[in-house]
Amino acid sequence: MSDVVLKISGLKVAYGGIQAVKGVDLEIRAGELVTLIGANGAGKTTTLKAITGTQAWHGAIAYMGKSTQGKAPFELLNAGLAMVPEGRGVFARMTVTENLQMGAYSRSDTAEINADLERMFQTFPRLKERARQLAGTLSGGEQQMLAMARALMSRPKLLLMDEPSMGLSPIMVEKIFEVVRSVSAQKIPILLVEQNAKLALEAAHRAYVMDSGNITLSGDAKQLLNDPKVREAYLGEAA
């Protein structure tokens, strides 16, 4: 059986007459943490939207060996494809606990859901402290933790993360990446879209560099971290 969890071939996405994604090829194998880096407007978020079925696309996307063409987002979630969206997207007028329970809405194994809820509170002690607090009153970093924990409550077979460190303090960014590395250590495949190229490349196994809708570089993440072109373009270092 193939260990390829997600395979994208010739992915194209257009908004009106603007081609946002121009023929992307990308794959994620079992247990891998893969990062997709690039400047604002490169097409990274659009690629994630295509994968999750929230954006029309052309080409081929196969998840667990099956085409996602025509699949609704909830069908993909039920099949184990979960996303932590850019901007966090928590349910502001629900409590922290209610948000986490929403993450498991497609599950019916009540005892296991409760066990996972406790596991999330152990992973994110700050969420336990605020379990009865409305999500909209949390800080940005706390909301990001909640968005990650909510996605994990679905027991994903593939986790997509869109800019988890955006707008957070350096201390909170490090905490978020600790969790990313912890999830990866559990062998849950992750596709991480991230503007903090240094942290993303340090955490990932493999990486793709996206520019103007195209993949311009790909390979071992540690090698790309030391690539002069990558260092100059994304790490602010002279080549």
Side-chain angles (χ1 to χ4, degrees):
M1 186 175 176
S2 170
D3 68 345
V4 176
V5 177
L6 180 76
K7 186 173 181 63
I8 298 173
S9 305
L11 179 68
K12 295 180 180 179
V13 181
Y15 296 110
I18 300 170
Q19 198 77 31
V21 177
K22 302 173 181 174
V24 161
D25 296 335
L26 179 153
E27 71 174 35
I28 301 169
R29 297 189 283 269
E32 275 194 317
L33 169 48
V34 175
T35 189
L36 178 61
I37 63 172
N40 272 336
K44 307 184 302 296
T45 294
T46 300
T47 299
L48 292 188
K49 287 180 176 178
I51 295 168
T52 55
T54 56
Q55 172 64 52
W57 51 272
H58 298 281
I61 301 177
Y63 168 63
M64 297 294 186
K66 296 180 180 177
S67 173
T68 66
Q69 188 75 53
K71 298 284 187 186
F74 75 88
E75 292 177 290
L76 295 172
L77 176 63
N78 289 343
L81 199 161
M83 179 160 164
V84 182
E86 182 182 2
R88 301 177 266 280
V90 298
F91 300 109
R93 302 186 72 172
M94 290 184 177
T95 66
V96 166
T97 299
E98 288 167 342
N99 267 267
L100 293 175
Q101 289 168 335
M102 283 296 290
Y105 88 98
S106 62
R107 296 170 54 188
S108 56
D109 49 339
T110 306
E112 288 296 312
I113 289 171
N114 290 334
D116 283 350
L117 193 60
E118 278 309 306
R119 199 172 296 120
M120 290 305 108
F121 284 145
Q122 289 170 11
T123 304
F124 302 95
R126 201 171 298 195
L127 295 184
K128 186 169 187 177
E129 293 168 14
R130 290 156 173 71
R132 297 184 181 180
Q133 195 168 317
L134 294 182
T137 66
L138 301 178
S139 72
E142 290 162 352
Q143 288 188 11
Q144 186 62 59
M145 290 179 184
L146 180 56
M148 292 171 72
R150 183 182 60 191
L152 291 171
M153 285 294 294
S154 70
R155 289 198 172 175
K157 294 173 184 170
L158 172 62
L159 183 62
L160 310 181
M161 305 183 72
D162 194 4
E163 305 285 8
S165 77
M166 182 179 284
L168 303 184
S169 68
I171 291 173
M172 194 57 74
V173 168
E174 187 47 51
K175 172 62 180 172
I176 293 299
F177 268 88
E178 277 179 27
V179 176
V180 171
R181 290 189 289 268
S182 171
V183 173
S184 179
Q186 297 168 41
K187 301 300 182 186
I188 297 171
I190 299 172
L191 176 57
L192 171 67
V193 164
E194 179 56 57
Q195 277 193 292
N196 191 323
K198 184 174 187 293
L199 284 177
L201 290 170
E202 286 173 347
H205 300 111
R206 289 190 305 110
Y208 293 86
V209 178
M210 197 168 193
D211 184 33
S212 302
N214 293 298
I215 299 295
T216 55
L217 283 170
S218 65
D220 179 84
K222 305 304 181 287
Q223 289 178 0
L224 286 180
L225 184 60
N226 294 312
D227 185 292
K229 286 185 239 174
V230 173
R231 296 186 78 85
E232 183 177 22
Y234 302 104
L235 306 181
E237 299 179 11

